[in-house]
Amino acid sequence: MRPGLIGVAGPYLANPERGRSGGYSLLELVFVMTLSITVSAAAVPQYLSGLDDTRATAATRYVAARLQRARMDAVTRSASVAIQFSSLSTGYAFGVYADGNRNGVLTYDIQHGVDRPLGAVEHLSDQFPGVDFGVLPGLPAIDSGSSPPGSDPIHLGSGSLASFSSAGTSSSGTLYLRSRGGAQFAIRIFGETGRTRLLKFDRNSWVWRPL
């Protein structure tokens, strides 16, 4: 062996780190991929739960806004305006109607075309997927002065109408909304003012809270 070669090769043999490439080993890549999958799996349920709650909150505010718009329509038109809620095999639908014969908005008059629609019938789940009118099993009353909703999410009387007068007053009642993931909300309508109050059910403490 020539002496010149010993001086050149010796440092490289003594320091094997210089012979490694700049990449990662297969074991390192597998570890990183496994860690990423684990973190993602833990984050997805929280993300979906947050999305579910956000949609239900937005749907509740939307219905409340539709109620207030109907109230303003009644004042502007100097005629009763009502939102009718209907139970269908695919969920619930609601439409807005104006009084056509000065006797208030009635189910009979809607069916016979006397009280005219002010727009297309809406389905809440079309705009807010996974959200509709509904009640969680065993849901308690909103306050001590009211009764539990049972299984019916529409508490507006026999005609299922939220009706507003030209003076801005309304029929009283409560609408219950829930999401596919179990988020529960309610809209209370106060007859003397026609105003609404939005509430959210806290499943951890089992009580209703203002939204």
Side-chain angles (χ1 to χ4, degrees), residues 4-20:
L5 293 178
I6 295 176
V8 174
Y12 286 92
L13 293 176
N15 187 7
E17 292 297 326
R18 293 190 179 186
R20 290 186 60 182

Side-chain angles (χ1 to χ4, degrees), residues 38-209:
T38 302
V39 172
S40 299
V44 166
Q46 295 181 358
Y47 169 77
L48 292 178
S49 176
L51 180 61
D52 181 83
D53 190 85
T54 298
R55 283 178 176 170
T57 301
T60 302
R61 295 191 186 280
Y62 175 77
V63 174
R66 296 294 286 116
L67 290 166
Q68 290 307 302
R69 179 178 173 183
R71 178 175 177 269
M72 292 305 300
D73 282 342
V75 174
T76 302
R77 293 170 177 272
S78 295
S80 295
V81 173
I83 300 182
Q84 183 186 50
F85 298 85
S86 305
S87 176
L88 307 174
S89 59
T90 56
Y92 284 83
F94 59 97
V96 184
Y97 299 87
D99 180 18
N101 57 358
R102 315 302 294 182
N103 67 340
V105 179
L106 304 175
T107 301
Y108 178 87
D109 287 345
I110 291 175
Q111 294 172 344
H112 290 80
V114 177
D115 293 339
R116 308 176 311 280
L118 297 182
V121 172
E122 298 183 56
H123 300 266
L124 197 59
S125 57
D126 289 344
Q127 300 184 62
F128 306 94
V131 184
D132 205 348
F133 297 95
V135 180
L136 289 171
L139 192 68
I142 292 177
D143 52 50
S144 58
S146 60
S147 302
S151 59
D152 185 7
I154 310 298
H155 288 247
L156 296 172
S158 58
S160 296
L161 291 165
S163 185
F164 298 87
S165 73
S166 59
T169 59
S170 71
S171 54
S172 300
T174 306
L175 303 170
Y176 295 87
L177 298 84
R178 62 165 293 184
S179 69
R180 185 183 296 121
Q184 180 73 66
F185 295 82
I187 304 173
R188 302 199 80 175
I189 308 170
F190 298 95
E192 292 185 0
T193 62
R195 302 291 185 179
T196 59
R197 182 186 181 201
L198 312 185
L199 302 109
K200 180 180 180 180
F201 183 65
D202 187 338
R203 288 184 292 174
N204 293 324
S205 58
W206 207 248
V207 296
W208 289 94
R209 301 187 186 280

